[in-house]
Amino acid sequence: MPDDATDDLEVLLGAELARNEEAAEATIATISSTQQFRPPSKKRGRDVESIKESDTGNKSAGVQRISRPASARDCPPHPGFVQGMCIRCGKPRDDLEPAASANVALRYLHAGLELSKTEADRLRDESLKRVLAGNRLILVLDLDHTLLTSTKNSEIHDEQLHRKLSKMLAEQQRLPELDRSLYWFPHMDIWTKFRPGVRDFLERMHLCYELHIYTHGTRPYALEMSRVLDPQRRLFAERIVSACDSADKNHKNLDILLGVETAVLVVDNTHTVWPQHLANLLHCTSFVYFPADVPRMGGTALLATCDTSHEQPDPMLPAAAAVLEDVHSMYFAGASAAGMDARQCLAAARSKILAGVSLVFSRVFPQVMASPEANSLWKLANQMGAACSLATSAATTHVVAPCYGTDKVMWAQKHGKHVITPAWLTASSRSWQRAAEEDYVPEKPK
Amino acid sequence: MFYLLKLIKEVELHPKFFGPNLRETLKNKLTAEVEGTVSGKYGFVAAVPDVEKYGQGKIREGTGFATFDVTYFCIVMRPLKGEVMDCVVTSVNKVGFFAEAGPVQIFVSNHLIPEDFDFNAMEDSQFVTTDESIRIRQGTEVRVRIVGTRIDATEMFCVATIKEDFLGVVGDPT
C-alpha cells in the first residue's frame, strides 16, 4: 500500500518503468500501424499554423477547431484549475504562486472549475468561430416569466383554483408529451405552466441559434425545467446557468457563458438584471399565470380567466421568434460574417416595429424643452422606427396624449388620426409588434 | 488501483445486541459504517470481505455501550498519478469532458485531448475526429492516464489525459 507521501505510480514502481520506456518506444513504432484505433502519434503537438490551413475545409460542420499551444506540457501558465489541480499538468494549486484574481469560475459546468483569463478568452474566440461556422448565433434565454412560470403549491390559497388546476393536470396527463404545457412536480411542490408556443419557439430558434438557459432559479429547478422542455438534451445540453453559478445574485453577465458580445442575444422579461448588456437584450413581456405573481409582476393571472381545455394564445413568443430570425438573416446576409454585430442587427429589427409611423406628443412633456429629443419616450419611439415631431402636419399618423381636450388631440380627431396614450409606445416596445391602437385610447372625459 | 488492507476500527454496540449474534451484528455494523466511505489516506473502501478478529469488548462508563476493536480486511480503491484506467464519460463541454470510474470523478481538459478531436455541439455535445471515425460523448468508454489526483473525505477527483499512445476511446455507447 503506497504511503501518503506520494501518489505517483512511477515512483512506486521504481525507475524500472523509466528504463523500460526507452525500450518500449522502439517497439511501439512497429506496432502502431496495426492498432485498432487511430495510431496515436508520438509527436506531441502540431503547429498552430498547420491547423489553421486545414480550417477552411470544415466551415459548414459547425465544429470547433481547437487551437492549442505547441506543447501540451507547457505549464505554467496554468490554463485553469479544477478542484485545486491544474487541468493540464495536475499540479496542486497550493504549491504555486497565488493565482491571478482574474479567474473565471465556471461552476455550472462543474463545481470547482476555474479558468484563467487568457484561457477564457481563447475559449470565447473558439466558441464564436464554432458557432459562426455552423451558421448560428448564440441565444440566452431566461426561464421564469419568459418561457414558463412556476409557483409553489402552498401559494395557491383559493380552493377553486386548486381544483381547476388539478382538473387541467388530469386532462394534460392524457396528452402526448409534446402537447403538454402544465406540470406538477411533487418533489419540489411546484406547479409549472409553459408559455403558449414555447416548444415551437425553441425548435425554430434551435435552427439559427445555440441555445443557453440563464436563470436566477436554483440549479435543481433549472435542470428539472430543462428536462421537460428538452427531454432529449438536444436543445440545451449542459448549457444551463443557474443562480448559484452567477457571481452576482442580482445581475446576469455574459462572461461565464464564454460568449462574445457581438454574437449573443438575450431574451428576458426583466432588463434590470442585464445592466451591461442592454443592447443585446430582447426585452419581452412577462408571462403571468398564477395569482401569487400578480402583486409583484402586475397584469392579470391567466389561470383565473382561462378555460380548462382551451389555451389562450400569447403572441409574444411567435413575435420574438420572427424578430430573432430576422436578426439572424441580417447577420449572415453578407458574404462574410466578419465584422457584423448582432446588437446592430437587433437595433435594425427594432426600428421596423413602428416603421411608417409619424407621431406628435401632446401634454406628455413640456414642449418648450430645450431638446425634446432627449425625452425618453421620444428616444423610444425613434428606436422603434417612428418619426417624431413637435407640430402636427399632414404626415402625422398618431398623436400621443394622456387625455382628451388638447388642441392637437382635437386636430387628430378631426382628421381621423389615431389618439393613443404613452403606454402604447411601451407596449409596442415590449411585445415587439405595433400594439393595437384601440387598446390604448385615453379615457373619455366625464 | 485496488489494495487489500488490514485495518482496525473501534465499533460501538448497544446492549440490546449482547447475545448469541453479537459477532454477526458487529460485522454488519462495521460493514455498514465503513463500506462506501472515502478516507483521505487509503481511498475508497469498496468491500469488507472478512473480519480477522474481534477484540475484547469494553463497556463505556456512563452509558451501557460496549466498544470493540475489530481487525478486518478491506478492499480499497485509490487512483494514482500515472495510472491508466478505463472510465465512462458523463458529460462533454467545450472545456473538456468529465468521466467517472466507479467512485472516482475524472476530468480531461481539451489541452490533454489530441488535436484530431474537435468539439461539436450541433445536436449533442461531443468531441469528434476530423474524419468522424471516433466520437467521445456521454456514455463512451475511454482509457485515460491519470495526471493528478485529489482525495478528500467526500470524493476522489482526478485530472487525466488521453493524449498519449494507446489511450482514447475503447467503446461506444450503443
Side-chain angles (χ1 to χ4, degrees):
Chain A
M1 178 70 205
D3 61 21
D4 30 356
T6 175
D7 59 358
D8 196 326
L9 192 60
E10 290 198 11
V11 171
L12 295 171
L13 298 181
E16 203 69 21
L17 201 72
R19 281 201 291 276
N20 283 343
E21 216 173 39
E22 262 100 29
E25 262 183 75
T27 27
I28 280 168
T30 44
I31 297 174
S32 64
S33 52
T34 57
Q35 280 305 313
Q36 192 188 355
F37 24 93
R38 44 135 189 93
S41 51
K42 263 300 205 175
K43 37 194 189 307
R44 280 297 166 76
R46 276 183 274 158
D47 262 300
V48 180
E49 325 314 314
S50 63
I51 292 175
K52 283 199 183 118
E53 276 167 36
S54 46
D55 202 4
T56 47
N58 227 345
K59 274 283 179 250
S60 55
V63 161
Q64 174 177 316
R65 269 275 148 188
I66 304 175
S67 70
R68 296 192 200 85
S71 162
R73 297 275 179 238
D74 237 2
C75 264
H78 302 277
F81 295 94
V82 67
Q83 301 280 41
M85 286 184 288
C86 168
I87 57 181
R88 185 156 58 188
C89 66
K91 283 211 182 66
R93 206 229 199 96
D94 321 308
D95 288 359
L96 314 164
E97 318 287 300
S101 54
N103 273 0
V104 181
L106 292 177
R107 272 188 293 272
Y108 66 102
L109 286 180
H110 191 92
L113 177 62
E114 293 184 347
L115 295 181
S116 70
K117 190 166 179 310
T118 31
E119 179 70 9
D121 287 336
R122 187 184 71 83
L123 273 179
R124 208 165 284 156
D125 291 330
E126 287 303 319
S127 296
L128 181 64
K129 274 196 222 116
R130 169 172 52 90
V131 149
L132 290 181
N135 247 13
R136 303 205 292 182
L137 293 171
I138 298 178
L139 186 63
V140 178
L141 298 168
D142 177 43
L143 282 183
D144 289 325
H145 304 290
T146 304
L147 294 182
L148 45 81
T149 178
S150 298
T151 191
K152 282 215 201 7
N153 195 20
S154 47
E155 286 183 15
I156 303 183
H157 302 298
D158 190 349
E159 193 46 50
Q160 199 190 17
L161 278 182
H162 208 276
R163 272 198 297 269
K164 187 174 178 184
L165 267 177
S166 309
K167 186 163 162 233
M168 283 168 70
L169 185 69
E171 269 172 46
Q172 288 259 332
Q173 276 166 341
R174 273 177 276 158
L175 295 172
E177 189 61 36
L178 288 177
D179 289 338
R180 283 193 66 176
S181 62
L182 180 67
Y183 291 88
W184 151 243
F185 298 105
H187 57 279
M188 294 192 293
D189 208 26
I190 284 180
W191 291 90
T192 296
K193 176 81 177 70
F194 283 179
R195 196 165 197 166
V198 69
R199 289 193 204 270
D200 205 32
F201 174 78
L202 290 175
E203 288 299 326
R204 274 169 80 176
M205 293 298 97
H206 178 57
L207 299 171
C208 358
Y209 291 88
E210 186 183 76
L211 302 176
H212 297 244
I213 287 183
Y214 196 140
T215 174
H216 267 157
T218 60
R219 189 152 180 80
Y221 173 74
L223 290 174
E224 190 67 52
M225 293 302 120
S226 83
R227 228 168 296 167
V228 272
L229 276 172
D230 175 29
Q232 293 154 344
R233 271 179 65 105
R234 266 177 47 234
L235 306 168
F236 300 110
E238 77 291 341
R239 300 182 292 266
I240 300 168
V241 182
S242 59
C244 53
D245 310 317
S246 198
D248 182 351
K249 289 287 177 276
N250 292 327
H251 298 126
K252 295 183 179 176
N253 203 306
L254 289 181
D255 271 350
I256 57 173
L257 285 166
L258 295 179
V260 178
E261 285 174 346
T262 54
V264 178
L265 290 179
V266 180
V267 177
D268 198 328
N269 67 307
T270 27
H271 64 281
T272 46
V273 293
W274 292 100
Q276 297 156 312
H277 302 286
L278 283 172
N280 301 72
L281 175 65
L282 195 152
H283 191 196
C284 66
T285 53
S286 301
F287 175 54
V288 176
Y289 190 79
F290 299 105
D293 295 322
V294 172
R296 195 166 44 95
M297 317 266 340
T300 50
L302 292 174
L303 174 59
T305 53
C306 76
D307 198 351
T308 48
S309 51
H310 182 74
E311 180 153 62
Q312 283 165 321
D314 181 348
M316 183 70 235
L317 285 182
V323 170
L324 290 168
E325 280 167 354
D326 196 15
V327 169
H328 177 264
S329 47
M330 268 193 263
Y331 193 98
F332 289 107
S336 87
M340 292 296 285
D341 189 339
R343 294 173 291 190
Q344 287 168 349
C345 300
L346 186 66
R350 192 195 297 256
S351 65
K352 292 184 192 167
I353 303 176
L354 292 184
V357 167
S358 174
L359 0 133
V360 168
F361 291 95
S362 169
R363 211 172 278 188
V364 174
F365 54 84
Q367 298 283 321
V368 294
M369 254 174 76
S371 51
E373 296 84 31
N375 179 275
S376 56
L377 278 179
W378 186 292
K379 279 199 286 202
L380 184 64
N382 276 340
Q383 274 175 359
M384 289 196 284
C388 302
S389 58
L390 283 170
T392 56
S393 68
T396 309
T397 53
H398 292 70
V399 171
V400 182
C403 55
Y404 286 108
T406 64
D407 281 342
K408 295 200 185 88
V409 171
M410 288 195 289
W411 176 90
Q413 285 173 308
K414 197 162 86 177
H415 287 84
K417 309 287 186 188
H418 295 282
V419 178
I420 62 269
T421 56
W424 181 80
L425 284 173
T426 42
S428 300
S429 165
R430 288 290 290 275
S431 59
W432 284 77
Q433 267 180 345
R434 190 157 143 178
E437 286 87 351
E438 307 82 60
D439 297 334
Y440 294 92
V441 172
E443 269 184 31
K444 291 256 183 305
K446 309 274 184 302
Chain B
M1 196 173 294
F2 292 90
Y3 296 92
L4 182 65
L5 301 178
K6 195 158 74 171
L7 301 175
I8 306 180
K9 184 172 166 72
E10 208 177 70
V11 184
E12 208 176 59
L13 218 53
H14 189 277
K16 69 182 178 195
F17 299 114
F18 295 173
N21 295 330
L22 179 73
R23 299 244 160 121
E24 203 179 298
T25 318
L26 257 187
K27 180 171 180 206
N28 291 340
K29 187 151 192 240
L30 171 78
T31 307
E33 274 178 27
V34 159
E35 265 184 13
T37 59
V38 175
S39 107
K41 196 168 168 198
Y42 300 117
F44 176 79
V45 180
V48 173
D50 211 2
V51 167
E52 190 194 43
K53 73 171 192 279
Y54 301 87
Q56 190 91 21
K58 286 193 170 56
I59 303 223
R60 258 197 204 187
E61 301 229 352
T63 72
F65 284 80
T67 50
F68 297 79
D69 281 333
V70 185
T71 313
Y72 61 102
F73 291 102
C74 62
I75 297 177
V76 297
M77 192 261 190
R78 189 193 159 155
L80 296 171
K81 190 166 110 172
E83 180 183 351
V84 174
M85 62 164 66
D86 290 356
C87 53
V88 176
V89 175
T90 49
S91 76
V92 180
N93 54 60
K94 54 176 111 129
V95 188
F97 66 85
F98 286 90
E100 65 178 15
V104 181
Q105 301 288 321
I106 298 171
F107 175 60
V108 181
S109 107
N110 52 22
H111 291 268
L112 297 175
I113 300 179
E115 278 87 10
D116 325 30
F117 284 92
D118 301 305
F119 181 62
N120 182 330
M122 289 301 271
E123 282 294 314
D124 178 23
S125 290
Q126 52 186 292
F127 281 93
V128 202
T129 45
T130 345
D131 51 7
E132 304 212 1
S133 56
I134 308 178
R135 290 167 196 275
I136 299 181
R137 56 182 180 193
Q138 193 172 5
T140 311
E141 287 156 23
V142 183
R143 187 162 290 159
V144 306
R145 179 191 285 274
I146 311 278
V147 162
T149 64
R150 183 193 175 82
I151 301 179
D152 58 36
T154 47
E155 59 162 3
M156 299 193 284
F157 201 91
C158 302
V159 166
T161 172
I162 55 169
K163 209 173 182 179
E164 293 181 20
D165 293 355
F166 310 112
L167 301 179
V169 174
V170 286
D172 236 348
T174 34

